Amino acid sequence: MAADGTHSTNAPDPLTAKATPAPPPHVVASLDQVSVRRYTTGQVILDDITWTVRAGEHWALLGANGAGKTTILRLIGALMHPTTGTVDVLGHRLGRVDMRELRARIGLVSSAQKVPLDATAHTVVLTGHTGTVQPLWRKYDADVRDRAHALLAELEIKELADRPYGVCSGGQRARILVARALMADPSLLLLDEPFNALDLPSREDLIDAMHRLAVTRTGLATITVTHHLEELSPAIDHVLLLKEGRVLASGTAVDVLIADRMTECFGRPIAVSRHEGRWLARSGRH
C-alpha cells in the first residue's frame, strides 16, 4: 500500500513472476583428467578420465573385463591415488585428506569383503559403524544396535538378525552387506559386482532393494559395477561406458544404452531393449 492509500505498482505480479530455479545437486565425486598407470610395467589402466557424480544420481559402470571399472571404484572409494589428475570425493581431494577418515563416510558393497562367517547378520551390520571386520562391542550403544535392526528391516531381512552370516544365501548376504554399508549414513554408496553368483530370485530381491533405497533416500548417490544390463534396477539413470581405460560414453541411461555404443564397447553386435524400466542386452547376431 502506498502512502496515499493506493496500491503500489512495484509489487511483483504472482502470475508473471518467474520462480527461482532450484540449485543443481551438489557434487559427491569427480575425476578430472585422471590416469592410472602401473609403475612396474607402465601399463595404462585409466587414461584421461573426467567424470562427475551428483547427489541423488544412480550410475552404472559398464565395460568389458579390464576396461577399468574396478579401478575407478577404488579411486572414488579412497582406496588408491591416481597417477595423474585429481579425484574429489565428498568435498575432499585425494592426497589432501586422511584416506581412512574419508573411507568411513563412503558405503562400499563387494562380494570380496571379509566377513566372519559365524557372526550374526546383526553383528555384521554393526561392524559397519566402526568400519571393522570384527565387532568392537564397546563402540555399540543401544542407539547403534537399534539402528542396525532398523537397517535390516529396511532391507526386508529383519528375520535374519540372529542368523549366522555363513548360513545365509548369497542374496541374503548381499542385502546384509548393503545394510552394513548404510550404517555410516553415507551420501555415496559403491557396489562392486554385488550380483556376483546370485541366482534369479536373489538377484531380483537385491534389485528391488536397491530400487527402494533410491526412492526413499533421495539424496543418496550410487555407483554400480556390473557386467549385465538386466542387473540394473529401474533407478539407474546414468551410465559410464568404458573401453580400454577410456570413457566411450557418459550420460543418461537412455542416451548411452543404445545398440551402436554397446556394440563399439564390447566389440560384437549388441541389441539393447527396455521393458518396464529394466534393460536387456543380447547378441545382435542372428
Side-chain angles (χ1 to χ4, degrees), residues 3 5 7 11 35 38 40 45 53 65 76 79 81 94 128 172 235 284:
H7 288 280
S35 295
R38 282 204 174 93
T40 53
I45 301 172
V53 177
N65 288 334
I76 295 179
L79 293 168
H81 291 89
L94 300 194
Q172 291 169 341

Side-chain angles (χ1 to χ4, degrees), residues 5 42 61 93 101 116 125 153 234 239 243 246-247 250-251 258 265 279:
L61 263 60
R93 178 156 296 180
E101 292 183 4
V125 176
V239 174
K243 182 176 182 180
R246 296 184 64 89
V247 174
S250 176
I258 58 177
C265 181
W279 295 92

Side-chain angles (χ1 to χ4, degrees), residues 149-160:
H149 280 297
L151 287 169
L152 287 170
E154 184 177 357
L155 273 296
E156 298 188 349
I157 47 173
K158 63 181 181 180
E159 72 280 1
L160 302 180

Side-chain angles (χ1 to χ4, degrees), residues 44-256:
V44 176
I45 301 172
L46 294 178
D47 188 13
D48 196 25
I49 303 291
T50 295
W51 180 41
T52 300
V53 177
R54 293 178 171 82
E57 293 180 345
H58 302 284
W59 284 81
L61 263 60
L62 302 175
N65 288 334
K69 303 184 297 296
T70 297
T71 301
I72 286 182
L73 219 59
R74 286 177 56 79
L75 288 168
I76 295 179
L79 293 168
M80 64 180 293
H81 291 89
T83 306
T84 59
T86 59
V87 178
D88 293 281
V89 183
L90 303 181
H92 298 279
R93 178 156 296 180
L94 300 194
R96 302 178 184 175
V97 63
D98 186 317
M99 299 277 272
R100 293 168 299 179
E101 292 183 4
L102 183 56
R103 282 197 294 270
R105 300 172 53 198
I106 303 168
L108 173 64
V109 177
S110 170
S111 57
Q113 285 175 273
K114 295 180 179 179
V115 178
L117 297 180
D118 58 345
T120 66
H122 183 254
T123 298
V124 172
V125 176
L126 280 176
T127 63
H129 179 72
T130 47
T132 56
V133 175
Q134 297 294 337
L136 302 180
W137 294 110
R138 293 183 181 180
K139 300 287 188 179
Y140 311 139
D141 59 19
D143 288 342
V144 172
R145 292 168 187 257
D146 287 345
R147 176 167 169 73
H149 280 297
L151 287 169
L152 287 170
E154 184 177 357
L155 273 296
E156 298 188 349
I157 47 173
K158 63 181 181 180
E159 72 280 1
L160 302 180
D162 297 322
R163 184 178 301 180
Y165 181 83
V167 301
C168 293
S169 69
Q172 291 169 341
R173 292 185 186 189
R175 283 186 283 167
I176 291 169
L177 293 179
V178 172
R180 180 187 185 277
L182 293 174
M183 276 297 288
D185 196 22
S187 53
L188 176 61
L189 181 62
L190 310 178
L191 301 108
D192 189 6
E193 299 189 34
F195 305 95
N196 188 30
L198 297 188
D199 60 20
L200 180 59
S202 296
R203 183 193 76 185
E204 293 301 302
D205 286 342
L206 182 55
I207 290 171
D208 289 344
M210 296 311 303
H211 193 196
R212 287 194 305 272
L213 286 180
V215 172
T216 59
R217 296 173 176 257
T218 55
L220 179 68
T222 66
I223 303 173
T224 302
V225 169
T226 182
H227 289 287
H228 307 290
L229 295 195
E230 56 269 33
E231 293 176 348
L232 301 179
S233 90
I236 296 293
D237 47 17
H238 290 76
V239 174
L240 182 69
L241 203 58
L242 296 170
K243 182 176 182 180
E244 297 176 353
R246 296 184 64 89
V247 174
L248 180 62
S250 176
T252 62
V254 293
D255 289 333
V256 174

